[in-house]
Amino acid sequence: MTAPKKTMLSAVQPSNRLTLGNYIGALRNWAQLQKDYDCVFFAVNLHAITQRQDPKELREQTRRAVATYIAAGIDPKEATLFIQSEVPQHAELAWVLNCYCYMGELGRMTQFKDKSAKAGENIPVGLFTYPVLMASDILLYDTDLVPVGADQKQHIELTRDIAIRMNNAYGADTFRVPQPVIPQVGARIMSLQDPTAKMSKSDPDPNGSVYLNETDDQIRKKLKRAVTDSGSEITDDESKPGVRNLLTIQSALTGKPVSEIVASYAGKQYGHLKVDTAEIVVQSVSPIRAEADRLMAEKSFLDQILQTGAEKARIRAAKTLKRVYEHLGLR
Ligand code: ATP
Ligand code: LTN
């Protein structure tokens, strides 16, 4: 008898169209690892409302996120695909975990510090407790592995801390303790306009990000305008974050080591690097855009996948929640 597959789970916020950073840091690895795991992927629309969203846009982006997962190679026949808000247990377990997570821990989260600094005078409480809902997402499915970009590592460490804390209090079988999986290359793709900041789908400057539904020409234009560094030699070093970012993008998408790519540019200019990177990005993004558009147009196919996925997810999540409630004396 073969051992049951381990569970791999991840998610993206449908706060805007997905970016090349989301693809390289997350989606691509989900697709590469999927066949060896029992996969659970969803769109975290409850996380997205920690920042103001237009309801019509949110509905559209949520579906598009899942269509993009499939377009990026996730097999909808194998993976459980759904929308977070359709599985009420995520919010229910989050409340419980809130009671076992400390203010000090949440105050140290880098994402909270960054996002709250930009939120103005009124910082939504949800922005503060965001990682607790994420811990709930993960722990509900007895997850083993969570493939994410480098920025999410801290949240997964917090998830582990909460799980271990509760296992110590209520028994080792309360929660399975998950592990992050961070890619070796491309765990942190930088903005094309400010290579010292992460490429982010909610960046107010659209030129900093390549979106996965952009046309080939839009992508070429953005890469052509990418901010590079002073000097002209193509080298991989800290003092050239713009060049380094383009080299990283190429390396992640082609699988070639950065050193080999650098060697191929001996005597060439930044312009060459930009044009080549643009073509490599177009080759990866173009089929994803076409397939996601097709899936968005074929409404009933996605509806069916999401309905089946939510049903499967609710059954799994209810089982975990029942176990946790029993351990805690809540039933
Ligand atoms: P937002 O701007 O709304 O915060 P985001 O673009 O930072 O969004 P998330 O939804 O927070 O994206 O992240 C989804 C997944 O993509 C996570 O696994 C995250 O680590 C990964 N990711 C996001 N941005 C990058 C990036 N620039 N490089 C590599 N991975 C990334
Ligand atoms: N916080 C993550 C999105 C997210 C997530 C998750 C990722 C929410 N729940 C569970 C992995 C597993 C982010 O990328 N900002």
Side-chain angles (χ1 to χ4, degrees):
M1 212 176 80
T2 50
K5 283 182 176 174
K6 290 190 168 185
T7 299
M8 178 165 84
L9 170 147
S10 201
V12 175
Q13 291 188 75
S15 42
N16 198 348
R17 298 168 292 165
L18 271 56
T19 69
L20 182 66
N22 299 138
Y23 177 64
I24 294 177
L27 266 56
R28 203 175 54 114
N29 303 303
W30 307 357
Q32 280 172 359
L33 296 165
Q34 65 180 331
K35 67 175 183 337
D36 296 323
Y37 295 91
D38 168 19
C39 294
V40 180
F41 299 122
F42 46 109
V44 287
N45 53 351
L46 296 172
H47 278 104
I49 61 163
T50 54
Q51 290 173 300
R52 286 282 173 272
Q53 305 292 337
D54 172 73
K56 191 166 166 275
E57 280 278 305
L58 179 60
R59 208 170 280 122
E60 161 95 9
Q61 300 299 356
T62 304
R63 288 174 66 83
R64 182 168 280 278
V66 178
T68 307
Y69 299 174
I70 300 170
I74 298 303
D75 181 354
K77 291 194 289 301
E78 292 293 330
T80 303
L81 297 173
F82 62 98
I83 293 169
Q84 186 189 33
S85 61
E86 293 185 1
V87 184
Q89 288 83 0
H90 289 245
E92 290 179 73
L93 180 64
W95 170 258
V96 174
L97 301 181
N98 260 316
C99 300
Y100 295 86
C101 180
Y102 305 135
M103 307 268 287
E105 289 175 316
L106 293 176
R108 282 194 290 278
M109 295 293 121
T110 310
Q111 183 178 298
F112 171 70
K113 289 193 233 171
D114 290 349
K115 292 201 172 172
S116 58
K118 291 178 198 147
E121 218 174 298
N122 290 317
I123 299 165
V125 176
L127 211 49
F128 188 63
T129 58
Y130 176 114
V132 180
L133 179 59
M134 177 163 164
S136 169
D137 292 343
I138 297 170
L139 298 177
L140 264 183
Y141 298 89
D142 290 331
T143 304
D144 297 286
L145 292 184
V146 190
V148 284
D151 62 314
Q152 295 303 312
K153 188 160 176 252
Q154 202 184 24
H155 289 160
I156 295 166
E157 275 159 10
L158 177 70
T159 302
R160 289 170 55 85
D161 290 345
I162 298 173
I164 292 168
R165 180 173 304 150
M166 293 182 71
N167 284 352
N168 287 337
Y170 301 103
D173 66 335
T174 309
F175 289 121
R176 181 161 311 164
V177 182
Q179 303 262 11
V181 186
I182 317 275
Q184 304 241 318
V185 180
R188 194 173 159 82
I189 300 299
M190 309 312 273
S191 157
L192 299 178
Q193 289 302 308
D194 174 6
T196 63
K198 187 180 86 101
M199 182 182 286
S200 160
K201 70 175 113 59
S202 55
D203 185 343
D205 178 1
N207 291 321
S209 305
V210 169
Y211 297 98
L212 297 179
N213 71 340
E214 284 184 310
T215 65
D216 296 354
D217 280 348
Q218 284 170 320
I219 294 172
R220 289 192 182 102
K221 247 184 225 145
K222 283 192 177 175
L223 277 143
K224 208 166 162 188
R225 284 203 224 126
V227 169
T228 37
D229 311 284
S230 54
S232 61
E233 210 189 332
I234 296 167
T235 54
D236 175 37
D237 66 73
E238 230 170 280
S239 65
K240 294 189 174 181
V243 169
R244 172 171 270 185
N245 193 35
L246 299 182
L247 292 168
T248 304
I249 291 172
Q250 277 206 23
S251 171
L253 295 178
T254 61
K256 285 188 200 154
V258 169
S259 56
E260 188 183 320
I261 301 170
V262 170
S264 74
Y265 283 109
K268 294 194 180 160
Q269 315 278 307
Y270 289 166
H272 294 114
L273 176 66
K274 290 187 188 181
V275 169
D276 294 348
T277 309
E279 289 317 309
I280 289 167
V281 172
V282 163
Q283 270 187 27
S284 293
V285 172
S286 188
I288 297 176
R289 176 191 59 232
E291 181 62 2
D293 284 348
R294 195 184 69 77
L295 292 167
M296 287 298 281
E298 204 185 313
K299 193 173 171 297
S300 62
F301 177 75
L302 207 55
D303 283 348
Q304 184 58 51
I305 285 169
L306 291 172
Q307 195 190 325
T308 314
E311 280 163 14
K312 268 166 75 183
R314 280 192 291 262
I315 292 168
R316 280 177 79 161
K319 227 166 125 185
T320 312
L321 193 65
K322 177 168 177 276
R323 183 182 79 216
V324 174
Y325 272 26
E326 279 166 357
H327 279 59
L328 268 64
L330 292 167
R331 60 179 284 160

